[in-house]
Amino acid sequence: MTTGPDASGLLANAKRARSLAETAYDAIEQMIISRRLAPGAMVSEGELGAELALGRTPVREALARLKTIGFVEVHPRRGVLVTPVDIIKHLELLEVRRPLDETVARCVIARASDRDLETLQTHTEGLLVAAAARDREVYFRVKRALHEALVGAAHNPTLTSTMGPLHAQSRRFWYTYEPTASFLDCAGIHATIVAGIAAREAEQALSGIGTLFDLLDRMTRRALDRRPLV
């Protein structure tokens, strides 16, 4: 195997390209979730690249990923269309996520280190603070960190790659439709789940997940009768 300077340079360039594509993906995903790019908006790769100060290649790679999770549609010679938030699809997503969240909890209970559990508890405390303040931006940022920490503590790469797109779709839906009045209830249930996981009490954690998803299902169905909140 070649290990000279040329090979090292190629590896460095590949890592940089992946890093730029990840930067583009995170930025565009957040723009869509926060509705800076609203449903129905048509944008171009060039416009996004200019706003993010990135080249076309990382933007194109980011858009390809966002297309696979249903955030955008790519129309040649016309641009990139931001898709609407679909409430019925979110109900279907909840059906898929419930058993997967239970699997994540079981894996975390079985495999999490003490440091993993400390991180979960820190994020949970932050979520409760943001919920009490009804700060939508911070609330969703901390909840994302909590979800990612939970999946990471499961130490299962297949779960990580599976849950990432599902969590992204959930974030987009809830940023649009979750009323701030529900923040404390949801944060409190998350705290119950994390407490069960930290105590390695599967029954408590799974019961909390059931309570959470029952609430999420009810809130999703109520969203059928009202306009987006943001």
Side-chain angles (χ1 to χ4, degrees), residues 161-185:
S161 61
T162 300
M163 296 303 293
L166 297 177
H167 280 151
Q169 293 173 63
S170 290
R171 281 196 300 277
R172 186 185 185 197
F173 180 87
W174 291 120
Y175 193 98
T176 302
Y177 283 107
E178 184 174 357
T180 55
S182 73
F183 285 4
L184 269 177
D185 286 341

Side-chain angles (χ1 to χ4, degrees), residues 7-179:
S8 298
L10 288 172
L11 287 171
N13 288 338
K15 289 180 179 178
R16 180 173 180 274
R18 283 197 298 273
S19 176
L20 291 175
E22 287 293 332
T23 297
Y25 177 86
D26 287 343
I28 300 170
E29 180 200 84
Q30 184 57 33
M31 290 165 72
I32 293 172
I33 287 172
S34 66
R35 299 174 73 86
R36 282 185 58 203
L37 289 177
M42 183 74 79
V43 293
S44 70
E45 290 179 2
E47 290 169 340
L48 290 170
E51 179 164 352
L52 300 174
L54 293 169
R56 285 184 177 271
T57 298
V59 170
R60 186 175 297 121
E61 291 179 10
L63 291 172
R65 286 179 60 190
L66 289 163
K67 179 182 176 182
T68 66
I69 63 173
F71 276 26
V72 300
E73 296 174 357
V74 179
H75 298 272
R77 296 181 296 279
R78 289 182 56 208
V80 178
L81 177 70
V82 179
T83 59
V85 178
D86 190 318
I87 297 173
I88 300 302
K89 284 187 178 180
H90 189 73
L91 286 170
E92 296 170 352
L93 182 146
L94 289 176
E95 290 179 354
V96 172
R97 266 197 57 190
R98 185 187 293 240
L100 287 173
D101 274 47
E102 292 173 348
T103 299
V104 169
R106 290 189 182 98
C107 290
V108 176
I109 287 170
R111 301 173 185 155
S113 66
D114 290 342
R115 177 170 291 184
D116 289 332
L117 298 179
E118 289 173 6
T119 299
L120 294 179
Q121 290 171 326
T122 297
H123 288 320
T124 301
E125 291 166 4
L127 187 65
L128 289 167
V129 170
R134 296 193 176 187
D135 187 322
R136 184 172 293 272
E137 292 289 339
V138 175
Y139 175 79
F140 281 98
R141 184 166 66 246
V142 176
K143 188 155 67 168
R144 175 177 183 170
L146 175 59
H147 285 155
E148 290 177 348
L150 275 165
V151 174
H155 297 287
N156 182 319
T158 299
L159 269 177
T160 299
S161 61
T162 300
M163 296 303 293
L166 297 177
H167 280 151
Q169 293 173 63
S170 290
R171 281 196 300 277
R172 186 185 185 197
F173 180 87
W174 291 120
Y175 193 98
T176 302
Y177 283 107
E178 184 174 357

